[in-house]
Amino acid sequence: MNRRTVLASFSLLALAACGSKQTNDGKTLTIAATAVPHAEILESIKPTLAKQGVDLQIRVFNDYVQPNLQVEQKQIDVSYFETKPYLDQFNASRGTHLVTYAGVHVEPLGAYSRKWKSIAQIPNGATVAIPNEPSNGGRALLLLQKAGLITLRNPTNPLSSLNDIATNPKNLNFKELEGATLPRTLGEVDLALINTNYALDAKLNPVRDALAIEDKNSPYVNFVVGLPGNEKDPRVVKLIAALRSPATKTFIEQHYRGAVLPAF
C-alpha cells in the first residue's frame, strides 16, 4: 500500500468512527473508490464537476468490503470500484441493497510471475495465488482455463470455485488470499492472479508484465454503485455524465495505455 492510500484510509476510518453521514447540502458528493485507477479517474473529473456546482469528495479504500458497507449505511453517497458479479455476490452474502448505476471501465485481470516468463514455463506442482472472494476467484479460474492450465466443470460460470476444477494437469497448488495482498506474494508463489487496480498500485504494467490477461471483451465492467433511487440525484447524474464523457475516455486511453479500457 502506498503512502497516499495509507493516509486516505486512515482519514476514512476516522471519518467513519465519528459517525459521518451523507452530505445533503446539494453540492458535496462523497464517493468511495480504490486508489488506482478509480480515484485517479475521479480526480481527473473534479474540475469539471466543480464548474457544475458539485464538490466531489473522494474517499480512498484499500479493500472491497468497507466501501459498500459505508454506502449501504449512508455514510458515503456512492462508490466506484466494483463489477456487477462482485456486487451481486456481496448483496447476497451481506444482505445489502446496492444497485449499479453506470458502467465506466474494464480492468483486465492478469496472471503475474516473478519466477517465470511465460505460462508455458509454469512447472508441475506450481503454487498459484488467486483472490479469496467468489467473484474475483471465479474470474481468476476462468482466466487460468483460458490460458490452458486448468479446465472447469462449467467453463462459463463466473462464480466457479476450486471445487469446480475438472482437470488440473500440472497439479497446481492454489492459495486463496485477499486481493490487496496478492502483489506482495509474487516472490513466494509461481503465479498470482491480480486485479488491475492492485497491479497498477504495485507498479506492475498489465500490458507488459502479465503472462495472461483478459481481453477487451471482458464482461467485468466497473460500475458506479449506490442505493436504489439515488441515481436520480442531480449530483450523481452529473458525476455519471462526467465519467462517461469523451474527455474521460481520452484520459483513460492515454493515461493507462491498455491497462484500463473504457466501457462506454
mmCIF file of all heavy atoms in Angstrom, residues 52-93:
data_model
loop_
_atom_site.group_PDB
_atom_site.id
_atom_site.type_symbol
_atom_site.label_atom_id
_atom_site.label_comp_id
_atom_site.label_asym_id
_atom_site.label_seq_id
_atom_site.Cartn_x
_atom_site.Cartn_y
_atom_site.Cartn_z
ATOM 1 N N GLN A 52 -19.754 22.693 -12.410
ATOM 2 C CA GLN A 52 -21.190 22.401 -12.448
ATOM 3 C C GLN A 52 -21.818 22.463 -11.058
ATOM 4 O O GLN A 52 -22.973 22.086 -10.872
ATOM 5 C CB GLN A 52 -21.419 21.017 -13.065
ATOM 6 C CG GLN A 52 -20.937 20.912 -14.505
ATOM 7 C CD GLN A 52 -21.056 19.499 -15.053
ATOM 8 O OE1 GLN A 52 -21.592 18.598 -14.415
ATOM 9 N NE2 GLN A 52 -20.551 19.308 -16.262
ATOM 10 N N GLY A 53 -21.032 22.931 -10.082
ATOM 11 C CA GLY A 53 -21.568 23.099 -8.741
ATOM 12 C C GLY A 53 -21.521 21.877 -7.862
ATOM 13 O O GLY A 53 -22.190 21.825 -6.820
ATOM 14 N N VAL A 54 -20.718 20.855 -8.240
ATOM 15 C CA VAL A 54 -20.604 19.633 -7.444
ATOM 16 C C VAL A 54 -19.200 19.548 -6.842
ATOM 17 O O VAL A 54 -18.200 19.560 -7.571
ATOM 18 C CB VAL A 54 -20.874 18.370 -8.297
ATOM 19 C CG1 VAL A 54 -20.684 17.115 -7.444
ATOM 20 C CG2 VAL A 54 -22.272 18.409 -8.882
ATOM 21 N N ASP A 55 -19.139 19.474 -5.521
ATOM 22 C CA ASP A 55 -17.871 19.312 -4.809
ATOM 23 C C ASP A 55 -17.663 17.827 -4.561
ATOM 24 O O ASP A 55 -18.241 17.254 -3.630
ATOM 25 C CB ASP A 55 -17.920 20.086 -3.490
ATOM 26 C CG ASP A 55 -16.641 19.919 -2.669
ATOM 27 O OD1 ASP A 55 -15.628 19.480 -3.233
ATOM 28 O OD2 ASP A 55 -16.685 20.212 -1.453
ATOM 29 N N LEU A 56 -16.854 17.183 -5.406
ATOM 30 C CA LEU A 56 -16.637 15.741 -5.309
ATOM 31 C C LEU A 56 -15.591 15.446 -4.243
ATOM 32 O O LEU A 56 -14.438 15.864 -4.352
ATOM 33 C CB LEU A 56 -16.181 15.185 -6.664
ATOM 34 C CG LEU A 56 -16.066 13.660 -6.753
ATOM 35 C CD1 LEU A 56 -17.435 13.002 -6.593
ATOM 36 C CD2 LEU A 56 -15.428 13.243 -8.077
ATOM 37 N N GLN A 57 -15.986 14.689 -3.221
ATOM 38 C CA GLN A 57 -15.092 14.296 -2.136
ATOM 39 C C GLN A 57 -14.811 12.800 -2.263
ATOM 40 O O GLN A 57 -15.707 11.970 -2.094
ATOM 41 C CB GLN A 57 -15.729 14.611 -0.785
ATOM 42 C CG GLN A 57 -15.965 16.096 -0.542
ATOM 43 C CD GLN A 57 -14.649 16.870 -0.445
ATOM 44 O OE1 GLN A 57 -13.683 16.419 0.179
ATOM 45 N NE2 GLN A 57 -14.619 18.038 -1.081
ATOM 46 N N ILE A 58 -13.551 12.468 -2.578
ATOM 47 C CA ILE A 58 -13.162 11.079 -2.849
ATOM 48 C C ILE A 58 -12.619 10.447 -1.577
ATOM 49 O O ILE A 58 -11.679 10.957 -0.964
ATOM 50 C CB ILE A 58 -12.100 11.027 -3.959
ATOM 51 C CG1 ILE A 58 -12.611 11.739 -5.222
ATOM 52 C CG2 ILE A 58 -11.726 9.584 -4.272
ATOM 53 C CD1 ILE A 58 -11.516 12.077 -6.215
ATOM 54 N N ARG A 59 -13.199 9.320 -1.173
ATOM 55 C CA ARG A 59 -12.743 8.566 -0.008
ATOM 56 C C ARG A 59 -12.042 7.303 -0.512
ATOM 57 O O ARG A 59 -12.672 6.450 -1.128
ATOM 58 C CB ARG A 59 -13.904 8.181 0.907
ATOM 59 C CG ARG A 59 -14.855 9.317 1.249
ATOM 60 C CD ARG A 59 -14.173 10.409 2.047
ATOM 61 N NE ARG A 59 -15.143 11.351 2.560
ATOM 62 C CZ ARG A 59 -14.937 12.658 2.638
ATOM 63 N NH1 ARG A 59 -13.792 13.176 2.208
ATOM 64 N NH2 ARG A 59 -15.861 13.452 3.140
ATOM 65 N N VAL A 60 -10.756 7.176 -0.276
ATOM 66 C CA VAL A 60 -9.965 6.075 -0.841
ATOM 67 C C VAL A 60 -9.906 4.898 0.134
ATOM 68 O O VAL A 60 -9.578 5.066 1.309
ATOM 69 C CB VAL A 60 -8.540 6.548 -1.182
ATOM 70 C CG1 VAL A 60 -7.720 5.395 -1.749
ATOM 71 C CG2 VAL A 60 -8.596 7.694 -2.191
ATOM 72 N N PHE A 61 -10.225 3.723 -0.377
ATOM 73 C CA PHE A 61 -10.167 2.475 0.391
ATOM 74 C C PHE A 61 -9.152 1.527 -0.242
ATOM 75 O O PHE A 61 -8.860 1.623 -1.435
ATOM 76 C CB PHE A 61 -11.524 1.779 0.380
ATOM 77 C CG PHE A 61 -12.591 2.456 1.194
ATOM 78 C CD1 PHE A 61 -13.268 3.550 0.685
ATOM 79 C CD2 PHE A 61 -12.931 1.985 2.445
ATOM 80 C CE1 PHE A 61 -14.270 4.166 1.411
ATOM 81 C CE2 PHE A 61 -13.934 2.590 3.178
ATOM 82 C CZ PHE A 61 -14.607 3.686 2.672
ATOM 83 N N ASN A 62 -8.684 0.587 0.530
ATOM 84 C CA ASN A 62 -7.792 -0.437 0.002
ATOM 85 C C ASN A 62 -8.399 -1.829 0.158
ATOM 86 O O ASN A 62 -7.696 -2.825 0.198
ATOM 87 C CB ASN A 62 -6.425 -0.384 0.699
ATOM 88 C CG ASN A 62 -5.364 -1.106 -0.108
ATOM 89 O OD1 ASN A 62 -5.296 -0.966 -1.315
ATOM 90 N ND2 ASN A 62 -4.551 -1.906 0.560
ATOM 91 N N ASP A 63 -9.726 -1.894 0.268
ATOM 92 C CA ASP A 63 -10.404 -3.182 0.315
ATOM 93 C C ASP A 63 -11.737 -3.052 -0.404
ATOM 94 O O ASP A 63 -12.147 -1.954 -0.780
ATOM 95 C CB ASP A 63 -10.603 -3.657 1.756
ATOM 96 C CG ASP A 63 -11.720 -2.886 2.438
ATOM 97 O OD1 ASP A 63 -11.474 -1.729 2.835
ATOM 98 O OD2 ASP A 63 -12.836 -3.419 2.558
ATOM 99 N N TYR A 64 -12.416 -4.184 -0.602
ATOM 100 C CA TYR A 64 -13.656 -4.195 -1.370
ATOM 101 C C TYR A 64 -14.908 -4.315 -0.495
ATOM 102 O O TYR A 64 -16.019 -4.385 -1.025
ATOM 103 C CB TYR A 64 -13.650 -5.386 -2.349
ATOM 104 C CG TYR A 64 -12.638 -5.297 -3.474
ATOM 105 C CD1 TYR A 64 -12.202 -6.451 -4.116
ATOM 106 C CD2 TYR A 64 -12.132 -4.079 -3.901
ATOM 107 C CE1 TYR A 64 -11.293 -6.390 -5.168
ATOM 108 C CE2 TYR A 64 -11.223 -4.009 -4.946
ATOM 109 C CZ TYR A 64 -10.808 -5.168 -5.574
ATOM 110 O OH TYR A 64 -9.908 -5.108 -6.606
ATOM 111 N N VAL A 65 -14.744 -4.360 0.816
ATOM 112 C CA VAL A 65 -15.877 -4.568 1.708
ATOM 113 C C VAL A 65 -16.392 -3.261 2.301
ATOM 114 O O VAL A 65 -17.570 -2.923 2.187
ATOM 115 C CB VAL A 65 -15.519 -5.558 2.838
ATOM 116 C CG1 VAL A 65 -16.667 -5.690 3.836
ATOM 117 C CG2 VAL A 65 -15.171 -6.921 2.249
ATOM 118 N N GLN A 66 -15.506 -2.496 2.927
ATOM 119 C CA GLN A 66 -15.927 -1.280 3.601
ATOM 120 C C GLN A 66 -16.609 -0.259 2.688
ATOM 121 O O GLN A 66 -17.577 0.388 3.107
ATOM 122 C CB GLN A 66 -14.734 -0.635 4.312
ATOM 123 C CG GLN A 66 -14.363 -1.311 5.623
ATOM 124 C CD GLN A 66 -15.519 -1.301 6.613
ATOM 125 O OE1 GLN A 66 -16.162 -0.283 6.822
ATOM 126 N NE2 GLN A 66 -15.775 -2.444 7.223
ATOM 127 N N PRO A 67 -16.165 -0.085 1.429
ATOM 128 C CA PRO A 67 -16.861 0.890 0.586
ATOM 129 C C PRO A 67 -18.357 0.609 0.456
ATOM 130 O O PRO A 67 -19.187 1.507 0.597
ATOM 131 C CB PRO A 67 -16.152 0.756 -0.766
ATOM 132 C CG PRO A 67 -14.799 0.257 -0.434
ATOM 133 C CD PRO A 67 -14.981 -0.658 0.738
ATOM 134 N N ASN A 68 -18.708 -0.659 0.221
ATOM 135 C CA ASN A 68 -20.120 -0.996 0.086
ATOM 136 C C ASN A 68 -20.873 -0.834 1.398
ATOM 137 O O ASN A 68 -22.013 -0.372 1.420
ATOM 138 C CB ASN A 68 -20.272 -2.435 -0.423
ATOM 139 C CG ASN A 68 -20.123 -2.529 -1.926
ATOM 140 O OD1 ASN A 68 -20.209 -1.535 -2.639
ATOM 141 N ND2 ASN A 68 -19.891 -3.731 -2.423
ATOM 142 N N LEU A 69 -20.248 -1.233 2.494
ATOM 143 C CA LEU A 69 -20.915 -1.096 3.786
ATOM 144 C C LEU A 69 -21.182 0.368 4.109
ATOM 145 O O LEU A 69 -22.251 0.720 4.619
ATOM 146 C CB LEU A 69 -20.073 -1.742 4.887
ATOM 147 C CG LEU A 69 -19.912 -3.259 4.810
ATOM 148 C CD1 LEU A 69 -19.065 -3.760 5.967
ATOM 149 C CD2 LEU A 69 -21.268 -3.959 4.796
ATOM 150 N N GLN A 70 -20.221 1.230 3.781
ATOM 151 C CA GLN A 70 -20.385 2.659 4.081
ATOM 152 C C GLN A 70 -21.489 3.272 3.224
ATOM 153 O O GLN A 70 -22.238 4.138 3.691
ATOM 154 C CB GLN A 70 -19.069 3.395 3.840
ATOM 155 C CG GLN A 70 -17.926 2.924 4.726
ATOM 156 C CD GLN A 70 -17.661 3.838 5.904
ATOM 157 O OE1 GLN A 70 -18.132 4.959 5.948
ATOM 158 N NE2 GLN A 70 -16.889 3.350 6.847
ATOM 159 N N VAL A 71 -21.611 2.827 1.970
ATOM 160 C CA VAL A 71 -22.693 3.340 1.121
ATOM 161 C C VAL A 71 -24.039 2.805 1.609
ATOM 162 O O VAL A 71 -25.026 3.543 1.693
ATOM 163 C CB VAL A 71 -22.455 2.977 -0.359
ATOM 164 C CG1 VAL A 71 -23.654 3.390 -1.220
ATOM 165 C CG2 VAL A 71 -21.188 3.660 -0.872
ATOM 166 N N GLU A 72 -24.105 1.539 1.942
ATOM 167 C CA GLU A 72 -25.332 0.947 2.465
ATOM 168 C C GLU A 72 -25.807 1.665 3.730
ATOM 169 O O GLU A 72 -27.005 1.888 3.925
ATOM 170 C CB GLU A 72 -25.097 -0.546 2.761
ATOM 171 C CG GLU A 72 -26.244 -1.251 3.450
ATOM 172 C CD GLU A 72 -27.421 -1.563 2.530
ATOM 173 O OE1 GLU A 72 -27.242 -1.492 1.289
ATOM 174 O OE2 GLU A 72 -28.507 -1.894 3.033
ATOM 175 N N GLN A 73 -24.853 2.044 4.576
ATOM 176 C CA GLN A 73 -25.177 2.716 5.837
ATOM 177 C C GLN A 73 -25.347 4.232 5.677
ATOM 178 O O GLN A 73 -25.526 4.941 6.658
ATOM 179 C CB GLN A 73 -24.071 2.418 6.857
ATOM 180 C CG GLN A 73 -23.972 0.956 7.230
ATOM 181 C CD GLN A 73 -22.649 0.589 7.885
ATOM 182 O OE1 GLN A 73 -21.807 1.453 8.165
ATOM 183 N NE2 GLN A 73 -22.446 -0.701 8.119
ATOM 184 N N LYS A 74 -25.274 4.711 4.445
ATOM 185 C CA LYS A 74 -25.435 6.129 4.123
ATOM 186 C C LYS A 74 -24.355 7.010 4.757
ATOM 187 O O LYS A 74 -24.563 8.182 5.011
ATOM 188 C CB LYS A 74 -26.831 6.622 4.526
ATOM 189 C CG LYS A 74 -27.948 5.875 3.813
ATOM 190 C CD LYS A 74 -29.316 6.435 4.165
ATOM 191 C CE LYS A 74 -30.421 5.682 3.437
ATOM 192 N NZ LYS A 74 -31.765 6.219 3.758
ATOM 193 N N GLN A 75 -23.179 6.416 4.977
ATOM 194 C CA GLN A 75 -22.016 7.187 5.400
ATOM 195 C C GLN A 75 -21.394 7.910 4.209
ATOM 196 O O GLN A 75 -20.768 8.956 4.357
ATOM 197 C CB GLN A 75 -20.971 6.269 6.043
ATOM 198 C CG GLN A 75 -21.467 5.423 7.205
ATOM 199 C CD GLN A 75 -21.652 6.231 8.476
ATOM 200 O OE1 GLN A 75 -21.166 7.354 8.568
ATOM 201 N NE2 GLN A 75 -22.368 5.684 9.435
ATOM 202 N N ILE A 76 -21.528 7.288 3.029
ATOM 203 C CA ILE A 76 -20.973 7.806 1.776
ATOM 204 C C ILE A 76 -22.065 7.679 0.726
ATOM 205 O O ILE A 76 -22.884 6.754 0.760
ATOM 206 C CB ILE A 76 -19.704 7.029 1.379
ATOM 207 C CG1 ILE A 76 -18.567 7.335 2.369
ATOM 208 C CG2 ILE A 76 -19.262 7.363 -0.038
ATOM 209 C CD1 ILE A 76 -17.305 6.574 2.112
ATOM 210 N N ASP A 77 -22.104 8.621 -0.228
ATOM 211 C CA ASP A 77 -23.196 8.660 -1.201
ATOM 212 C C ASP A 77 -23.155 7.505 -2.197
ATOM 213 O O ASP A 77 -24.164 6.822 -2.405
ATOM 214 C CB ASP A 77 -23.154 9.996 -1.963
ATOM 215 C CG ASP A 77 -23.438 11.185 -1.063
ATOM 216 O OD1 ASP A 77 -24.485 11.193 -0.410
ATOM 217 O OD2 ASP A 77 -22.590 12.102 -1.009
ATOM 218 N N VAL A 78 -22.014 7.306 -2.856
ATOM 219 C CA VAL A 78 -21.900 6.293 -3.906
ATOM 220 C C VAL A 78 -20.506 5.681 -3.864
ATOM 221 O O VAL A 78 -19.611 6.186 -3.167
ATOM 222 C CB VAL A 78 -22.154 6.886 -5.316
ATOM 223 C CG1 VAL A 78 -23.593 7.342 -5.458
ATOM 224 C CG2 VAL A 78 -21.193 8.035 -5.612
ATOM 225 N N SER A 79 -20.324 4.608 -4.619
ATOM 226 C CA SER A 79 -18.992 4.001 -4.732
ATOM 227 C C SER A 79 -18.665 3.792 -6.203
ATOM 228 O O SER A 79 -19.539 3.796 -7.066
ATOM 229 C CB SER A 79 -18.934 2.659 -3.994
ATOM 230 O OG SER A 79 -19.712 1.689 -4.664
ATOM 231 N N TYR A 80 -17.376 3.596 -6.440
ATOM 232 C CA TYR A 80 -16.890 3.332 -7.804
ATOM 233 C C TYR A 80 -15.639 2.480 -7.671
ATOM 234 O O TYR A 80 -14.563 2.988 -7.405
ATOM 235 C CB TYR A 80 -16.605 4.658 -8.513
ATOM 236 C CG TYR A 80 -15.858 4.572 -9.838
ATOM 237 C CD1 TYR A 80 -16.132 3.589 -10.776
ATOM 238 C CD2 TYR A 80 -14.879 5.520 -10.144
ATOM 239 C CE1 TYR A 80 -15.446 3.535 -11.974
ATOM 240 C CE2 TYR A 80 -14.196 5.484 -11.348
ATOM 241 C CZ TYR A 80 -14.483 4.493 -12.259
ATOM 242 O OH TYR A 80 -13.802 4.447 -13.447
ATOM 243 N N PHE A 81 -15.823 1.152 -7.788
ATOM 244 C CA PHE A 81 -14.661 0.262 -7.679
ATOM 245 C C PHE A 81 -14.961 -1.169 -8.115
ATOM 246 O O PHE A 81 -14.040 -1.963 -8.272
ATOM 247 C CB PHE A 81 -14.145 0.211 -6.230
ATOM 248 C CG PHE A 81 -15.018 -0.595 -5.291
ATOM 249 C CD1 PHE A 81 -14.764 -1.928 -5.045
ATOM 250 C CD2 PHE A 81 -16.119 -0.006 -4.688
ATOM 251 C CE1 PHE A 81 -15.591 -2.671 -4.203
ATOM 252 C CE2 PHE A 81 -16.940 -0.721 -3.847
ATOM 253 C CZ PHE A 81 -16.682 -2.063 -3.604
ATOM 254 N N GLU A 82 -16.237 -1.541 -8.350
ATOM 255 C CA GLU A 82 -16.570 -2.967 -8.414
ATOM 256 C C GLU A 82 -17.306 -3.369 -9.680
ATOM 257 O O GLU A 82 -17.891 -2.537 -10.379
ATOM 258 C CB GLU A 82 -17.416 -3.348 -7.207
ATOM 259 C CG GLU A 82 -18.803 -2.727 -7.202
ATOM 260 C CD GLU A 82 -19.426 -2.725 -5.826
ATOM 261 O OE1 GLU A 82 -19.624 -3.814 -5.271
ATOM 262 O OE2 GLU A 82 -19.711 -1.629 -5.301
ATOM 263 N N THR A 83 -17.289 -4.683 -9.926
ATOM 264 C CA THR A 83 -18.015 -5.273 -11.043
ATOM 265 C C THR A 83 -19.384 -5.754 -10.561
ATOM 266 O O THR A 83 -19.614 -5.930 -9.365
ATOM 267 C CB THR A 83 -17.249 -6.460 -11.622
ATOM 268 O OG1 THR A 83 -17.195 -7.508 -10.646
ATOM 269 C CG2 THR A 83 -15.831 -6.061 -12.024
ATOM 270 N N LYS A 84 -20.284 -6.003 -11.500
ATOM 271 C CA LYS A 84 -21.616 -6.474 -11.123
ATOM 272 C C LYS A 84 -21.581 -7.865 -10.500
ATOM 273 O O LYS A 84 -22.300 -8.111 -9.514
ATOM 274 C CB LYS A 84 -22.569 -6.453 -12.322
ATOM 275 C CG LYS A 84 -24.027 -6.708 -11.927
ATOM 276 C CD LYS A 84 -24.958 -6.560 -13.110
ATOM 277 C CE LYS A 84 -26.420 -6.641 -12.652
ATOM 278 N NZ LYS A 84 -26.731 -7.927 -11.972
ATOM 279 N N PRO A 85 -20.785 -8.835 -11.020
ATOM 280 C CA PRO A 85 -20.731 -10.128 -10.331
ATOM 281 C C PRO A 85 -20.294 -9.996 -8.868
ATOM 282 O O PRO A 85 -20.845 -10.677 -7.997
ATOM 283 C CB PRO A 85 -19.715 -10.928 -11.159
ATOM 284 C CG PRO A 85 -19.829 -10.353 -12.529
ATOM 285 C CD PRO A 85 -20.056 -8.881 -12.306
ATOM 286 N N TYR A 86 -19.337 -9.108 -8.609
ATOM 287 C CA TYR A 86 -18.917 -8.912 -7.220
ATOM 288 C C TYR A 86 -20.061 -8.311 -6.414
ATOM 289 O O TYR A 86 -20.339 -8.749 -5.286
ATOM 290 C CB TYR A 86 -17.693 -8.005 -7.132
ATOM 291 C CG TYR A 86 -17.315 -7.717 -5.691
ATOM 292 C CD1 TYR A 86 -16.592 -8.644 -4.953
ATOM 293 C CD2 TYR A 86 -17.726 -6.551 -5.056
ATOM 294 C CE1 TYR A 86 -16.280 -8.418 -3.621
ATOM 295 C CE2 TYR A 86 -17.429 -6.305 -3.727
ATOM 296 C CZ TYR A 86 -16.694 -7.246 -3.018
ATOM 297 O OH TYR A 86 -16.408 -7.017 -1.695
ATOM 298 N N LEU A 87 -20.734 -7.292 -6.946
ATOM 299 C CA LEU A 87 -21.828 -6.653 -6.219
ATOM 300 C C LEU A 87 -22.957 -7.638 -5.945
ATOM 301 O O LEU A 87 -23.512 -7.669 -4.840
ATOM 302 C CB LEU A 87 -22.354 -5.453 -7.007
ATOM 303 C CG LEU A 87 -23.538 -4.721 -6.369
ATOM 304 C CD1 LEU A 87 -23.158 -4.125 -5.030
ATOM 305 C CD2 LEU A 87 -24.075 -3.640 -7.304
ATOM 306 N N ASP A 88 -23.310 -8.446 -6.933
ATOM 307 C CA ASP A 88 -24.383 -9.427 -6.745
ATOM 308 C C ASP A 88 -24.051 -10.386 -5.609
ATOM 309 O O ASP A 88 -24.893 -10.697 -4.764
ATOM 310 C CB ASP A 88 -24.627 -10.209 -8.037
ATOM 311 C CG ASP A 88 -25.257 -9.360 -9.131
ATOM 312 O OD1 ASP A 88 -25.787 -8.275 -8.809
ATOM 313 O OD2 ASP A 88 -25.214 -9.781 -10.302
ATOM 314 N N GLN A 89 -22.804 -10.862 -5.593
ATOM 315 C CA GLN A 89 -22.387 -11.784 -4.537
ATOM 316 C C GLN A 89 -22.363 -11.080 -3.181
ATOM 317 O O GLN A 89 -22.759 -11.649 -2.169
ATOM 318 C CB GLN A 89 -21.000 -12.359 -4.883
ATOM 319 C CG GLN A 89 -20.492 -13.416 -3.922
ATOM 320 C CD GLN A 89 -19.757 -12.813 -2.723
ATOM 321 O OE1 GLN A 89 -19.126 -11.760 -2.856
ATOM 322 N NE2 GLN A 89 -19.842 -13.464 -1.584
ATOM 323 N N PHE A 90 -21.920 -9.822 -3.167
ATOM 324 C CA PHE A 90 -21.847 -9.057 -1.926
ATOM 325 C C PHE A 90 -23.250 -8.853 -1.344
ATOM 326 O O PHE A 90 -23.481 -9.083 -0.154
ATOM 327 C CB PHE A 90 -21.189 -7.701 -2.189
ATOM 328 C CG PHE A 90 -20.870 -6.925 -0.948
ATOM 329 C CD1 PHE A 90 -19.613 -7.002 -0.365
ATOM 330 C CD2 PHE A 90 -21.827 -6.107 -0.346
ATOM 331 C CE1 PHE A 90 -19.313 -6.284 0.785
ATOM 332 C CE2 PHE A 90 -21.544 -5.395 0.803
ATOM 333 C CZ PHE A 90 -20.279 -5.478 1.371
ATOM 334 N N ASN A 91 -24.191 -8.422 -2.180
ATOM 335 C CA ASN A 91 -25.561 -8.234 -1.712
ATOM 336 C C ASN A 91 -26.148 -9.526 -1.155
ATOM 337 O O ASN A 91 -26.812 -9.527 -0.111
ATOM 338 C CB ASN A 91 -26.446 -7.734 -2.855
ATOM 339 C CG ASN A 91 -26.300 -6.246 -3.119
ATOM 340 O OD1 ASN A 91 -25.974 -5.468 -2.231
ATOM 341 N ND2 ASN A 91 -26.554 -5.841 -4.355
ATOM 342 N N ALA A 92 -25.898 -10.632 -1.847
ATOM 343 C CA ALA A 92 -26.453 -11.913 -1.413
ATOM 344 C C ALA A 92 -25.880 -12.364 -0.078
ATOM 345 O O ALA A 92 -26.590 -12.900 0.774
ATOM 346 C CB ALA A 92 -26.206 -12.974 -2.489
ATOM 347 N N SER A 93 -24.582 -12.122 0.122
ATOM 348 C CA SER A 93 -23.935 -12.606 1.346
ATOM 349 C C SER A 93 -24.074 -11.647 2.516
ATOM 350 O O SER A 93 -24.043 -12.068 3.672
ATOM 351 C CB SER A 93 -22.447 -12.869 1.083
ATOM 352 O OG SER A 93 -21.767 -11.660 0.757
#
